[in-house]
Structures are given as structure tokens and as C-alpha cells.
Amino acid sequence: MEEIYSGLLRALELIAARDPQVVEITFRSFFISLSSAFLAGIICIPLGGIIELHQFWGKRALINLIQTFYSLPTVTVGLLVFLLISRSGPLGDLNLLFSPAGMIFGQAVLVSPIMIGLTITALAGVSSPIRDTARSLGATDMQIIITVIKEARVAVMAAVLLGFGRALSEVGVAMMIGGNIRGYTRVLTTAIALETSMGNLELSMALGIILISISLAINLLLNRFQGR
Amino acid sequence: MALLEISSLGKSIGKAEILQGINLKAERGEILGLIGPTGSGKTTLLRLVNLLDEPSSGSILFDGREVSGRPERELLAARRRMAMVFQKPVMFKASVEENVSYGLRMRGRVDAMGGRERIKEALAAVGLSGYESRDANTLSGGETQRIALARALILQPDLLLLDEPTANLDPGSAASIDSLLRNLAGSRTAVILATHNMQQCRKLARRVAVLQEGRLVAMGKSEEITLPW
Ligand SMILES: Nc1ncnc2c1ncn2[C@@H]1O[C@H](COP(=O)(O)OP(=O)(O)OP(=O)(O)O)[C@@H](O)[C@H]1O
Ligand SMILES: [Mg+2]
């Protein structure tokens, strides 16, 4: 107990002193996960729009499948992306393995189901009179989708934020695709895993506190969004 | 040739026949009254004409072309020559200005046509000058209805479909909208005005079509029509 307490104090000291390693890892985590949320957003939001606004055979099943993928274990996504981008994989030529770009790609894949699913839910909340009004005023199908996304912007932003949160807090993809290379692909979660296993509890706890704080901040932001 | 020519138009939803055997023409420059009790099918008919829903039978000729059952591309082209004011208009989550210019923007015409000026004119026409930057979702019911009318008028449609456009208005604003609509008579626009209000029909429409339980039961000069209910 004593040990945890003094470790916690020293962890806080590390944060307060803006320990270079802590700062660097935090920023990298932010950068990679924000990028992956952004990348996933620009693909998944329009895709969610297209799925939501069209009627087609198997739509219900597709949405169910997407929702099943919400809780896909991150290591399985890691494995899938690994197979895709490893030397012999179809995207092997891009040299994405063990690079931040590969992590961004992998995390984007990981959060895509959530983002598509939550976008669909968000857009379903836009009333049909709004769609009829857009159509009646001469909007094309694509313009209607854009209008509906704009109408649901708060909920769509929440979907992106949730995706960011999931990317930031996952370990599987970051470890398997990034490889936890110091100063290059080491992020909060992989650093915590490593430092804990090496007995560097103070550094682990410092990083853990930061991770929890960010998650908390995201949740507060989400609540503020949804409270409106 | 009439701008709009509807023949034996029908609409069923499930087993219910909402509209049956509707024949109707509307000419440019005329205001055609569409009167009928609640639930008689006025809104359903206007939605079919605006190509928002598909009819179950019959045909819709718009400017000499069959438009019912055509691919979306052709529907869009026809729809872009019409405008409709819904019975319960809704506003996009945006300013009044963005709402009013929406149709122009969708057509990619907002700058080319002196957008700002036209928005100003449209707002003035419905008596809401200076409302440009208001949040459209904070408007009162009557204001919403008038903005919806401005949003339609700005498009200078060939066919204007109005579903109870003055239902939420006090007598004063209703009268000013009526006189605005009267100015459309004799223009290149054909107007179909759905209403319960026979007085409004007599004031504005030369011809009136009477709808009852999904069928047209009478059609004639507004002075000569007596309502069957
Ligand atoms: N989607 C629908 N499903 C089932 N019934 C419908 C649907 N839409 C309309 N109806 C029915 O069709 C009939 C005609 O409705 P419509 O809204 O066209 O009437 P209306 O003449 O516009 O009435 P009001 O004057 O009250 O606006 C009504 O009985 C209505 O309940
Ligand atoms: Mg109606």
C-alpha cells in the first residue's frame, strides 16, 4: 500500500515536471489516435450516410454485423491489419508495419465499425420531414446525405470522439502494428504495458493517470455534446 | 398545353386506397384551389405531384413529359422546377438565410443569381425583412410558415404547391400572404393551393377541385362550387 502511495506521488511529480518521455509519449498517442479518428471519420461518416439513406436488401443484417464489430477484440483487428500490411500482404509495398502510419491505419480500421454504426444511429434521428424538405427543395441524393449529416452534426461529432477514445485506449493494434518502438511508435497504452512489466511502476502510473484523465475529458465533452 | 396534367392517379398504402382516379390540370398563371375535409388526401396528392412519393397508378405529365415512374435523375430535374410548402414546415438547423437559400444552393446557383439580393427580396415578400441571421429553429410557428414560403418563392418555380400555407397565421398575416399569392396569378407560375378554407379559395383561386375520401367529387369555378359537406 505504502509502495503504491509513494509511487503515485512520484508519478504526479513526473507529470508536474513535464518529464520529456511522458510528454513525448502523450503527444504521440494524441497525434496517432486523433489522426486515426479523423481518417476513419472522413470515410465512415459518408459511408454511414449512404447506408442510412438507401434502402437495399440485407441492410438490417449489415447494420447488425457492424454493431457486432463494435466489440471486436483489438488483437484480432491487429492480426487482420498485420496480415494486410506485412511484407507479403496485399498492402505490403506501403511499408506500414511498425510505423505510426500503420498504427493510424490499424486504429482507423478498429474504430470504423463504431463510427459507421453510431453515424447511422445519429442520422436515423434526423426526421423524415427534414429529408422530404431537402428533396423537395431540389437536393440530389448526395446533397440529402450531406444535409442530414449536417443536421445530426452533434451526434456525428460524438461518434468521432468515441472513436478517438477507443483508439487512444486500445493496446492490441498499437502493440502489434506499431511494435512499441521507443521514440517512434511507443504510445500511452503500449508504454504502460511495457513499463509495468519492467517494474517501472512510477512511469506506468504517470502514463496511466494521463490516459484516464484524457478518457475522462472525452466523456465530459461527450456529455456536454449530448446534454444540449 | 397545361403545365401539369394528372390522369387517373391513384395511391394505395397497404390495403388502404388513399387516392383514386384523380384527373386534374393546372395551367401557368392560375391558382388552382384544392379543397377537402381533413383526411381527404390533399397532402398525399401534393406529395405525389412533387414526386416525393410514387403513385400506385396513373400518370403525371409535367410540361408535356411523363414524370411518374421515371428514374431519379428525371424526377430531380422536374422537381427542381417545382417548389412545395409543407403543411407543417420544418427548418434546417441553420440561419434563416441558409434556409431560404437552400434550394438555390442545391442548384449551384446562389452566387450567379445575386443570392443576397434575392434572399432579401424573398424575406421582404413574406414580411420578414432583416431575419437573415436568425436561428431558423427559434422562429414562431407563423414565422416558420412564412420562411418556408420564402424558401419556395425564391426558386421562382413553374409549379408552386402550397399545403395550407396560412393555417398557422393570424388573419392579418394570412391576408398579406393571400395578396402575395394573388400577385402570382397571371405569372408564369402555376399554383396549387390545398386548403380547408373555402373563403380563401374564393378569394384566390379561379378554379377549385373538391377532394373527398380520396376522390375528386367536383371541379369548377370557385364561385359556383358548393361543398358537399
Ligand atoms: N403513410 C401513411 N400510411 C397510412 N395512411 C396514410 C399515410 N399517409 C396518409 N395516410 C392516410 O391517408 C388519408 C389522407 O391523408 P392526407 O394527409 O393526404 O389528408 P389531408 O387531406 O392532407 O388532411 P388534412 O387536411 O388533415 O391535412 C388519411 O386518412 C391518412 O390517415
Ligand atoms: Mg394535409
Side-chain angles (χ1 to χ4, degrees), chain B residues 63-92:
Chain B
D63 208 5
R65 278 222 190 124
E66 178 60 54
V67 285
S68 97
R70 305 298 303 162
E72 172 60 25
R73 187 173 42 83
E74 284 176 42
L75 298 185
L76 178 73
R79 215 184 277 124
R80 283 186 168 182
R81 297 176 54 193
M82 310 177 186
M84 175 153 166
V85 176
F86 291 87
Q87 188 166 9
K88 287 186 214 121
V90 293
M91 292 288 132
F92 300 114

Short mmCIF file of all heavy atoms in Angstrom, two decimals, chain B residues 63-92:
data_model
loop_
_atom_site.label_atom_id
_atom_site.label_comp_id
_atom_site.label_asym_id
_atom_site.label_seq_id
_atom_site.Cartn_x
_atom_site.Cartn_y
_atom_site.Cartn_z
N ASP B 63 -45.19 19.59 -67.87
CA ASP B 63 -44.70 20.28 -69.05
C ASP B 63 -44.59 19.32 -70.24
O ASP B 63 -43.61 19.31 -70.97
CB ASP B 63 -43.33 20.92 -68.76
CG ASP B 63 -43.11 22.15 -69.63
OD1 ASP B 63 -44.04 22.54 -70.36
OD2 ASP B 63 -42.00 22.71 -69.57
N GLY B 64 -45.62 18.50 -70.39
CA GLY B 64 -45.69 17.61 -71.55
C GLY B 64 -44.94 16.31 -71.43
O GLY B 64 -44.98 15.48 -72.34
N ARG B 65 -44.26 16.10 -70.32
CA ARG B 65 -43.48 14.86 -70.16
C ARG B 65 -44.02 13.99 -69.06
O ARG B 65 -44.35 14.50 -67.99
CB ARG B 65 -42.04 15.22 -69.75
CG ARG B 65 -41.21 15.61 -70.89
CD ARG B 65 -39.84 14.97 -70.76
NE ARG B 65 -39.02 15.58 -71.79
CZ ARG B 65 -37.88 16.20 -71.57
NH1 ARG B 65 -37.39 16.24 -70.35
NH2 ARG B 65 -37.23 16.74 -72.55
N GLU B 66 -44.04 12.71 -69.31
CA GLU B 66 -44.43 11.78 -68.25
C GLU B 66 -43.33 11.76 -67.19
O GLU B 66 -42.16 11.55 -67.51
CB GLU B 66 -44.60 10.38 -68.84
CG GLU B 66 -44.96 9.31 -67.83
CD GLU B 66 -46.28 9.60 -67.13
OE1 GLU B 66 -47.28 9.80 -67.80
OE2 GLU B 66 -46.28 9.63 -65.87
N VAL B 67 -43.69 12.03 -65.96
CA VAL B 67 -42.66 12.02 -64.91
C VAL B 67 -42.87 10.91 -63.89
O VAL B 67 -41.94 10.59 -63.14
CB VAL B 67 -42.55 13.37 -64.18
CG1 VAL B 67 -41.85 14.39 -65.05
CG2 VAL B 67 -43.90 13.89 -63.74
N SER B 68 -44.05 10.32 -63.85
CA SER B 68 -44.22 9.31 -62.81
C SER B 68 -43.53 8.02 -63.22
O SER B 68 -43.56 7.62 -64.39
CB SER B 68 -45.71 9.11 -62.49
OG SER B 68 -46.20 8.00 -63.18
N GLY B 69 -42.85 7.41 -62.26
CA GLY B 69 -42.15 6.16 -62.50
C GLY B 69 -40.85 6.31 -63.27
O GLY B 69 -40.27 5.31 -63.71
N ARG B 70 -40.40 7.55 -63.47
CA ARG B 70 -39.14 7.77 -64.18
C ARG B 70 -37.95 7.64 -63.21
O ARG B 70 -38.13 7.70 -61.99
CB ARG B 70 -39.11 9.16 -64.82
CG ARG B 70 -40.29 9.43 -65.74
CD ARG B 70 -40.35 8.50 -66.91
NE ARG B 70 -39.11 8.56 -67.70
CZ ARG B 70 -38.72 7.63 -68.58
NH1 ARG B 70 -39.46 6.54 -68.74
NH2 ARG B 70 -37.61 7.77 -69.26
N PRO B 71 -36.74 7.45 -63.73
CA PRO B 71 -35.58 7.38 -62.83
C PRO B 71 -35.34 8.69 -62.08
O PRO B 71 -35.77 9.76 -62.53
CB PRO B 71 -34.40 7.09 -63.77
CG PRO B 71 -34.91 7.21 -65.16
CD PRO B 71 -36.38 7.20 -65.13
N GLU B 72 -34.65 8.55 -60.93
CA GLU B 72 -34.47 9.69 -60.02
C GLU B 72 -33.89 10.92 -60.72
O GLU B 72 -34.26 12.06 -60.41
CB GLU B 72 -33.60 9.27 -58.83
CG GLU B 72 -33.15 10.38 -57.89
CD GLU B 72 -34.30 11.15 -57.21
OE1 GLU B 72 -35.41 10.61 -57.06
OE2 GLU B 72 -34.08 12.33 -56.85
N ARG B 73 -33.01 10.71 -61.66
CA ARG B 73 -32.40 11.85 -62.38
C ARG B 73 -33.46 12.73 -63.04
O ARG B 73 -33.42 13.96 -62.97
CB ARG B 73 -31.43 11.30 -63.42
CG ARG B 73 -30.58 12.28 -64.16
CD ARG B 73 -29.54 11.53 -65.02
NE ARG B 73 -30.13 10.35 -65.68
CZ ARG B 73 -30.82 10.39 -66.82
NH1 ARG B 73 -30.99 11.51 -67.45
NH2 ARG B 73 -31.32 9.28 -67.34
N GLU B 74 -34.44 12.07 -63.66
CA GLU B 74 -35.51 12.83 -64.32
C GLU B 74 -36.47 13.44 -63.31
O GLU B 74 -36.97 14.55 -63.50
CB GLU B 74 -36.28 11.93 -65.29
CG GLU B 74 -35.51 11.67 -66.57
CD GLU B 74 -36.25 10.68 -67.48
OE1 GLU B 74 -37.48 10.80 -67.62
OE2 GLU B 74 -35.57 9.81 -68.04
N LEU B 75 -36.71 12.69 -62.24
CA LEU B 75 -37.58 13.23 -61.19
C LEU B 75 -36.95 14.50 -60.62
O LEU B 75 -37.64 15.50 -60.41
CB LEU B 75 -37.75 12.21 -60.05
CG LEU B 75 -38.42 10.88 -60.39
CD1 LEU B 75 -38.62 10.06 -59.13
CD2 LEU B 75 -39.76 11.12 -61.08
N LEU B 76 -35.64 14.44 -60.40
CA LEU B 76 -34.94 15.59 -59.83
C LEU B 76 -35.07 16.81 -60.74
O LEU B 76 -35.36 17.91 -60.28
CB LEU B 76 -33.47 15.25 -59.61
CG LEU B 76 -32.60 16.37 -59.06
CD1 LEU B 76 -32.91 16.63 -57.59
CD2 LEU B 76 -31.12 16.07 -59.23
N ALA B 77 -34.88 16.58 -62.02
CA ALA B 77 -34.96 17.69 -62.97
C ALA B 77 -36.35 18.33 -62.94
O ALA B 77 -36.48 19.55 -62.94
CB ALA B 77 -34.63 17.20 -64.38
N ALA B 78 -37.38 17.50 -62.86
CA ALA B 78 -38.75 18.03 -62.79
C ALA B 78 -38.98 18.71 -61.44
O ALA B 78 -39.52 19.81 -61.36
CB ALA B 78 -39.76 16.91 -62.99
N ARG B 79 -38.52 18.04 -60.38
CA ARG B 79 -38.71 18.59 -59.04
C ARG B 79 -38.05 19.95 -58.90
O ARG B 79 -38.54 20.82 -58.18
CB ARG B 79 -38.11 17.61 -58.03
CG ARG B 79 -38.85 17.52 -56.72
CD ARG B 79 -38.13 16.60 -55.77
NE ARG B 79 -38.41 15.19 -55.96
CZ ARG B 79 -37.48 14.26 -56.18
NH1 ARG B 79 -36.19 14.59 -56.27
NH2 ARG B 79 -37.82 13.01 -56.34
N ARG B 80 -36.94 20.12 -59.59
CA ARG B 80 -36.24 21.40 -59.49
C ARG B 80 -36.98 22.54 -60.20
O ARG B 80 -36.56 23.68 -60.14
CB ARG B 80 -34.81 21.27 -60.03
CG ARG B 80 -33.92 20.57 -59.03
CD ARG B 80 -32.49 20.54 -59.48
NE ARG B 80 -31.64 20.12 -58.36
CZ ARG B 80 -30.32 20.04 -58.44
NH1 ARG B 80 -29.70 20.33 -59.56
NH2 ARG B 80 -29.63 19.67 -57.39
N ARG B 81 -38.05 22.21 -60.89
CA ARG B 81 -38.88 23.27 -61.46
C ARG B 81 -40.14 23.50 -60.64
O ARG B 81 -41.03 24.25 -61.02
CB ARG B 81 -39.24 22.92 -62.91
CG ARG B 81 -37.99 22.81 -63.80
CD ARG B 81 -38.34 22.36 -65.19
NE ARG B 81 -39.37 23.22 -65.77
CZ ARG B 81 -40.05 22.91 -66.87
NH1 ARG B 81 -39.81 21.77 -67.50
NH2 ARG B 81 -40.96 23.73 -67.34
N MET B 82 -40.20 22.81 -59.50
CA MET B 82 -41.36 22.97 -58.61
C MET B 82 -40.86 23.44 -57.26
O MET B 82 -39.67 23.41 -56.96
CB MET B 82 -42.05 21.63 -58.36
CG MET B 82 -42.37 20.81 -59.56
SD MET B 82 -43.09 19.25 -58.96
CE MET B 82 -43.23 18.35 -60.48
N ALA B 83 -41.80 23.85 -56.42
CA ALA B 83 -41.49 24.07 -55.01
C ALA B 83 -42.73 23.76 -54.22
O ALA B 83 -43.84 23.94 -54.72
CB ALA B 83 -41.03 25.51 -54.77
N MET B 84 -42.51 23.25 -53.02
CA MET B 84 -43.66 22.90 -52.19
C MET B 84 -43.48 23.49 -50.80
O MET B 84 -42.39 23.47 -50.24
CB MET B 84 -43.78 21.37 -52.09
CG MET B 84 -44.85 20.89 -51.16
SD MET B 84 -45.45 19.25 -51.64
CE MET B 84 -46.35 18.76 -50.18
N VAL B 85 -44.57 24.02 -50.27
CA VAL B 85 -44.57 24.44 -48.87
C VAL B 85 -45.40 23.42 -48.11
O VAL B 85 -46.59 23.24 -48.38
CB VAL B 85 -45.15 25.86 -48.70
CG1 VAL B 85 -45.22 26.22 -47.22
CG2 VAL B 85 -44.31 26.88 -49.45
N PHE B 86 -44.76 22.74 -47.18
CA PHE B 86 -45.42 21.67 -46.45
C PHE B 86 -46.42 22.21 -45.44
O PHE B 86 -46.31 23.35 -44.98
CB PHE B 86 -44.39 20.80 -45.73
CG PHE B 86 -43.53 19.99 -46.65
CD1 PHE B 86 -42.37 20.51 -47.19
CD2 PHE B 86 -43.88 18.69 -46.98
CE1 PHE B 86 -41.58 19.76 -48.06
CE2 PHE B 86 -43.10 17.94 -47.84
CZ PHE B 86 -41.95 18.47 -48.38
N GLN B 87 -47.35 21.36 -45.12
CA GLN B 87 -48.37 21.74 -44.15
C GLN B 87 -47.75 22.08 -42.79
O GLN B 87 -48.13 23.05 -42.15
CB GLN B 87 -49.35 20.57 -44.00
CG GLN B 87 -50.57 20.86 -43.17
CD GLN B 87 -51.63 19.79 -43.36
OE1 GLN B 87 -51.38 18.75 -43.98
NE2 GLN B 87 -52.81 20.02 -42.84
N LYS B 88 -46.78 21.26 -42.39
CA LYS B 88 -46.04 21.57 -41.16
C LYS B 88 -44.58 21.76 -41.54
O LYS B 88 -43.79 20.82 -41.47
CB LYS B 88 -46.16 20.43 -40.15
CG LYS B 88 -47.51 20.34 -39.50
CD LYS B 88 -47.50 19.27 -38.40
CE LYS B 88 -48.86 18.57 -38.33
NZ LYS B 88 -48.74 17.11 -38.56
N PRO B 89 -44.22 22.95 -41.96
CA PRO B 89 -42.86 23.15 -42.47
C PRO B 89 -41.82 22.93 -41.38
O PRO B 89 -42.08 23.21 -40.21
CB PRO B 89 -42.84 24.61 -42.91
CG PRO B 89 -44.23 25.10 -42.86
CD PRO B 89 -44.99 24.21 -41.94
N VAL B 90 -40.67 22.39 -41.77
CA VAL B 90 -39.55 22.27 -40.83
C VAL B 90 -38.37 23.06 -41.36
O VAL B 90 -38.23 23.25 -42.57
CB VAL B 90 -39.12 20.80 -40.61
CG1 VAL B 90 -40.21 20.02 -39.89
CG2 VAL B 90 -38.77 20.13 -41.92
N MET B 91 -37.56 23.54 -40.45
CA MET B 91 -36.38 24.33 -40.82
C MET B 91 -35.12 23.51 -40.58
O MET B 91 -35.05 22.73 -39.63
CB MET B 91 -36.32 25.59 -39.94
CG MET B 91 -37.43 26.59 -40.23
SD MET B 91 -37.16 27.40 -41.82
CE MET B 91 -38.79 27.24 -42.55
N PHE B 92 -34.14 23.70 -41.44
CA PHE B 92 -32.83 23.10 -41.19
C PHE B 92 -32.20 23.81 -40.01
O PHE B 92 -32.48 24.98 -39.75
CB PHE B 92 -31.94 23.26 -42.42
CG PHE B 92 -32.50 22.59 -43.64
CD1 PHE B 92 -32.91 23.34 -44.74
CD2 PHE B 92 -32.65 21.21 -43.69
CE1 PHE B 92 -33.44 22.72 -45.87
CE2 PHE B 92 -33.18 20.59 -44.81
CZ PHE B 92 -33.58 21.35 -45.89
#
